[in-house]
Amino acid sequence: MKTEEILTTLTAMFPDAHCELNHRNPFELAVAVVLSAQTTDAAVNKVTPQLFERYPDPASLAQAPLSEIESCIQRIGLYRNKARSIQGLARELVERFDGEMPQTMEELITLPGVGRKSANVILSVCFGVPAIAVDTHVERVSKRLRLAMPNDSVLEVEKKLMRKIPRSQWSHAHHLFIFFGRYFCKAKNPQCQDCPFTSFCREIAQQKRSSARRQPEKTAA
């Protein structure tokens, strides 16, 4: 199946695929993305309303007592480290960018807690820059659907997807892959029985090989 056919099928499956981190502006999305590391978007969305009500802009978050930031987000994993990261991010925005979110990859990745994946999310969602952010879902789906090799790094996966998908579809494809990986092609217990991609999926092939190895050998009569 060609890449365009995969995207067409995924669009039919998830016509409303979008960024599920609640935010009202680039600053809020950047904070939410940092908080989402090794944490579900749903968990982040439970703590950010209180956080953003108290600290609606970089200046207020930069000046907040660290313990109060921690208390707002303590229900998510690694909250102490993340509290330091989002406060550091806010301070950098105030001191270096006049409180505004930069709009280039080079500048974004200099912010605390913001790596290439996070920067791609911010660029795509907030500024309409075509980008493919490779998180765990995108990586898993890409490798299972043979759009990348099993041992490819995250950056290699990103580059391969950028070559195979038209630039105008990068951002949409990113959300499609996330929804497919999050709600259908899960890391554990994927819904293989209902999947339209079983004819070439690496997961299915691996399951068949494992099943064949478990079959007892037939003995001669």
Side-chain angles (χ1 to χ4, degrees), residues 75-92:
R75 285 183 290 170
I76 64 174
L78 306 173
Y79 72 92
R80 288 192 174 88
N81 289 337
K82 291 178 181 180
R84 287 193 291 271
S85 290
I86 62 174
Q87 184 169 61
L89 182 152
R91 287 174 175 168
E92 290 286 300

Side-chain angles (χ1 to χ4, degrees), residues 19-34:
C19 175
E20 293 190 294
L21 289 170
N22 295 336
H23 65 282
R24 295 169 295 186
N25 53 58
F27 165 66
E28 290 188 356
L29 179 61
V31 169
V33 169
V34 173

Side-chain angles (χ1 to χ4, degrees), residues 121-136:
V121 172
I122 296 167
L123 289 171
S124 172
V125 175
C126 293
F127 302 118
V129 177
I132 299 176
V134 181
D135 67 357
T136 56

Side-chain angles (χ1 to χ4, degrees), residues 91-138:
R91 287 174 175 168
E92 290 286 300
L93 290 178
V94 171
E95 294 172 5
R96 296 173 50 213
F97 300 103
D98 296 322
E100 298 294 326
M101 188 64 58
Q103 299 185 32
T104 68
M105 171 66 71
E106 293 74 19
E107 291 174 317
L108 284 168
I109 60 176
T110 67
L111 298 172
V114 178
R116 185 174 181 86
K117 184 266 292 185
S118 300
N120 274 329
V121 172
I122 296 167
L123 289 171
S124 172
V125 175
C126 293
F127 302 118
V129 177
I132 299 176
V134 181
D135 67 357
T136 56
H137 300 300
V138 176

Side-chain angles (χ1 to χ4, degrees), residues 31 145 217:
V31 169
L145 299 189
E217 294 184 6

Side-chain angles (χ1 to χ4, degrees), residues 134-148:
V134 181
D135 67 357
T136 56
H137 300 300
V138 176
E139 180 181 9
R140 179 173 66 256
V141 168
S142 299
K143 292 179 178 180
R144 284 181 174 175
L145 299 189
R146 300 180 186 271
L147 297 173

